[in-house]
Structures are given as C-alpha cells and as structure tokens.
C-alpha cells in the first residue's frame, strides 16, 4: 500500500481566511513533505519533516505554517494568503528522507 | 545553482517506443527519479536510479550515466493512457528532498 491521502481535494478561500490542509499516511513512513505546484510547472519543495521534526524549510513565507502532530499526519496552516498562492499543494511521504517519495492526490487551492 | 533539463514536449503514436532524456548539473547526486503526472493529478513514482545502468520495469526502463549527468526514460508499446507529463527529479544528497525538472509532456496519438 503506497497511499497518501489529502483533504480537502479543492479549497477556495479569501485573503483574510484561515484554513488548513491535511495529509495522512499509514505506511509507517517517517519523512513527509509539502510541495507547491503551479500549472505546467514542476513541484517545488516547501517543507520537509523527518521523524516529526522540521528539517528543511525552503524559505517559505510565514503565511504558510506546517505542523506534524504525529508520524502519520502532516498539516499545512494557511493564513492571509495572496492570489498568487493559488496552486496544487502536494503532500508526499517516504520511508526515510533517503527513500522514494510517494505523493498524495493534492489539494487544489484557489485564493480570491 | 541546480539545473535539470528535459525536452518540453514530445509526440508519438500508439505501439511505438519513445525515449525521454534528462540531463542534470547539480552540486551533488544521490539518486535520480522519474515520475509520471497526468493533468490535474499527483505525480506517480515510476523508477529510481542511483548506480549507472539500466533499470527495467515492465514497459518502462530508465538509464543513468553519472559521469555524463544523463538519464533517459524509455517507454515501450505506447498506449494512449501514457499521455502525461514525465518529471525527472534529482536528490542532491541523502536526506534532502527532490529537485524536479520542468517535465516533458508526452502526447500519444492513434
């Protein structure tokens, strides 16, 4: 089983809203990732958690706040986003930071 | 900086063979991955190379030459459902995340 689930599938929010994206995996993977993907562009890394600790933050604006409550869950809290933040947000996980990453279906976010 | 190059678009016909090339110039190398991504969907893992040579998986094969900074993905017996974007990604060092190329959009026609 290589399933990573993400909710919601679609999200529309205003610039003053606060929302959260959720990601879950039950494969025992200890590394989890958030990527942002704009249309016709490759995924760009935002955050990496390894053993529930933030190990890489690729200089992402503070309006994006990740949280890893336990080894199976990864959240991305959104606040005061801009229209240019509209994108597909992908969660991925891997056995460890050295192993193959498996992606969830993504959350398509539209900021109005 | 890190640079990963792939052709932007390729076309092929059903039943044919297509080779998608990827070249990379990166500050380190700890593995090269190929992913398939259909429009509006998440990337799906296809293959992984860390040593030189060919890895075969059914209709898909991937080749790596570390000395040349070069990889290719070979798709045989093409089917319409193979129409997708193919992403080449490099891991710079163990324990870090992937850097993706811009992807190659493959269109398969009948």
């Amino acid at each position: 089983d290589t399933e990573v689930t993400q909710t919601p599938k679609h999200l529309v929010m205003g610039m003053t809203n606060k929302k959260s994206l959720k990601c879950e995996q039950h494969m025992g993977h200890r590394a989890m990732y958030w990527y942002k993907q704009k249309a016709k562009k490759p995924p760009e890394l935002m955050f990496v958690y390894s053993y529930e600790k933030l190990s890489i933050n690729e200089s992402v604006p503070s309006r994006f706040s990740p949280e890893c409550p336990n080894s199976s869950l990864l959240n991305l809290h959104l606040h005061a986003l801009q229209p240019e933040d509209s994108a597909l947000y992908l969660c991925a996980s891997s056995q460890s930071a050295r192993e193959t990453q498996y992606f969830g279906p993504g959350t398509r976010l539209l900021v109005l | 900086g890190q640079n990963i190059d792939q052709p932007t678009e390729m076309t092929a016909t059903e039943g044919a063979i297509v080779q998608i090339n990827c070249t990379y110039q990166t500050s380190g190398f700890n593995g090269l991955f190929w992913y398939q991504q259909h429009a509006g969907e998440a990337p799906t893992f296809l293959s992984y190379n860390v040593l030189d040579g060919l890895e075969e998986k059914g209709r898909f094969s991937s080749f790596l030459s570390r000395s040349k900074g070069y990889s290719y993905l070979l798709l045989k017996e093409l089917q319409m459902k193979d129409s997708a974007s193919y992403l080449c990604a490099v891991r710079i060092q163990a324990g870090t995340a992937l850097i993706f190329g811009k992807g190659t959009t493959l269109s398969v026609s009948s």
Side-chain angles (χ1 to χ4, degrees):
Chain A
D1 181 14
T2 55
E3 189 177 13
V4 178
T5 59
Q6 290 187 242
T7 55
K9 289 186 178 179
H10 301 274
L11 179 62
V12 179
M13 59 187 291
M15 290 189 284
T16 58
N17 292 157
K18 285 185 181 181
K19 297 286 185 184
S20 296
L21 309 185
K22 296 186 185 301
C23 174
E24 191 166 3
Q25 55 87 14
H26 295 288
M27 297 178 280
H29 288 179
R30 301 313 299 266
M32 296 184 78
Y33 312 79
W34 280 115
Y35 287 87
K36 173 182 176 181
Q37 187 176 26
K38 303 281 276 185
K40 300 189 186 298
K41 300 284 188 183
E44 294 179 354
L45 180 67
M46 299 175 74
F47 303 103
V48 179
Y49 273 84
S50 182
Y51 290 86
E52 298 154 56
K53 287 186 169 34
L54 184 63
S55 64
I56 298 176
N57 174 348
E58 296 282 311
S59 301
V60 177
S62 59
R63 58 186 184 269
F64 295 93
S65 174
E67 178 197 17
C68 191
N70 60 55
S71 59
S72 299
L73 293 174
L74 185 66
N75 298 322
L76 185 63
H77 302 298
L78 315 172
H79 173 54
L81 294 192
Q82 305 297 310
E84 60 263 30
D85 296 322
S86 299
L88 180 67
Y89 288 83
L90 293 163
C91 173
S93 72
S94 59
Q95 186 67 34
S96 70
R98 298 168 181 265
E99 302 296 327
T100 300
Q101 295 177 31
Y102 295 93
F103 285 83
T107 294
R108 191 160 298 281
L109 174 67
L110 177 62
V111 181
L112 300 175
Chain B
Q2 320 292 354
N3 198 37
I4 301 174
D5 286 320
Q6 307 177 232
T8 304
E9 294 180 338
M10 297 183 74
T11 59
T13 53
E14 266 189 308
I17 299 173
V18 71
Q19 178 175 312
I20 303 174
N21 296 324
C22 172
T23 57
Y24 62 91
Q25 298 94 39
T26 53
S27 56
F29 181 82
N30 189 255
L32 188 143
F33 298 78
W34 284 96
Y35 285 84
Q36 180 192 61
Q37 186 174 28
H38 285 98
E41 298 182 11
T44 303
F45 170 72
L46 289 178
S47 71
Y48 166 61
N49 295 72
V50 67
L51 300 176
D52 290 352
L54 189 68
E55 294 282 340
E56 296 188 78
K57 248 188 184 183
R59 294 191 298 117
F60 296 82
S61 304
S62 57
F63 172 83
L64 175 68
S65 168
R66 287 172 296 169
S67 62
K68 294 181 180 176
Y70 168 68
S71 172
Y72 67 72
L73 180 70
L74 193 70
L75 294 80
K76 302 175 188 175
E77 301 170 16
L78 281 173
Q79 302 173 10
M80 298 291 284
K81 66 178 183 179
D82 298 327
S83 294
S85 180
Y86 291 85
L87 300 165
C88 171
V90 172
R91 186 166 56 205
I92 305 300
Q93 63 184 59
T96 64
L98 302 176
I99 298 176
F100 284 86
K102 293 185 178 179
T104 298
T105 300
L106 174 66
S107 300
V108 180
S109 57
S110 56

